[in-house]
């Protein structure tokens, strides 16, 4: 399986937390960049966070820095996005993606999940 599968979305009040999970392909985990993107209604798909599969280096967009944490479980081969202090503007479909290079551009990612909806109420 090449296409990652994400889960964990839902409805939460502002200030609450959610944890998204992504199951990348076993072939790609540990070698490719794993990232989260999101797309809000009427907006473009934006970068959220990434983690390098090999060394675990992380990078975040300014909009989620200090609130979201991307992590990985090497044993389970899962990637997580812990989202704390959620805001209404975080409402979006969240996508897990894998790609060959470290980039915030969605064009560099080859494999995409179907997305999971995150809705934050005020």
């Amino acid at each position: 399986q090449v296409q990652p599968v994400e889960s964990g979305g839902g409805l939460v009040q502002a200030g609450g937390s959610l944890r998204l999970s992504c199951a990348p392909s076993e072939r790609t985990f540990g070698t490719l960049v794993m990232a989260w993107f999101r797309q809000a209604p009427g907006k473009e798909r934006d970068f959220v966070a990434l983690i390098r599969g090999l060394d675990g280096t992380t990078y975040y967009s300014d909009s989620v820095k200090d609130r979201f944490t991307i992590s990985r479980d090497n044993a389970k081969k899962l990637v997580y996005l812990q989202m704390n202090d959620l805001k209404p503007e975080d409402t979006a479909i969240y996508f897990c993606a894998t790609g060959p290079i470290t980039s915030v551009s969605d064009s560099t990612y080859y494999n995409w999940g179907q997305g999971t909806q995150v809705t934050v109420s005020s």
Side-chain angles (χ1 to χ4, degrees):
Q1 184 180 3
V2 177
Q3 186 180 43
V5 179
E6 62 270 81
S7 61
L11 175 64
V12 65
Q13 291 185 337
S17 299
L18 284 173
R19 190 190 197 189
L20 307 183
S21 298
C22 173
S25 168
E26 187 173 335
R27 291 181 296 164
T28 60
F29 188 92
T31 58
L32 300 180
V33 177
M34 296 166 284
W36 289 94
F37 289 79
R38 66 186 182 184
Q39 187 168 28
K43 296 186 177 181
E44 64 185 3
R45 187 164 58 189
D46 291 329
F47 168 78
V48 176
L50 66 82
I51 185 167
R52 292 175 176 171
L54 182 61
D55 61 14
T57 301
T58 60
Y59 184 75
Y60 300 89
S61 70
D62 290 339
S63 63
V64 306
K65 194 173 299 181
D66 300 323
R67 297 190 298 120
F68 292 10
T69 302
I70 187 170
S71 62
R72 64 181 182 179
D73 185 321
N74 290 330
K76 297 180 179 179
K77 292 183 171 56
L78 294 176
V79 180
Y80 303 105
L81 184 68
Q82 178 66 47
M83 305 183 294
N84 298 324
D85 191 24
L86 283 161
K87 304 175 180 180
E89 52 262 42
D90 294 319
T91 295
I93 300 175
Y94 283 71
F95 299 91
C96 179
T98 63
I101 63 173
T102 305
S103 174
V104 301
S105 175
D106 59 0
S107 65
T108 67
Y109 293 85
Y110 294 164
N111 305 310
W112 292 83
Q114 294 299 307
T116 184
Q117 177 70 49
V118 172
T119 302
V120 184
S121 62
S122 61

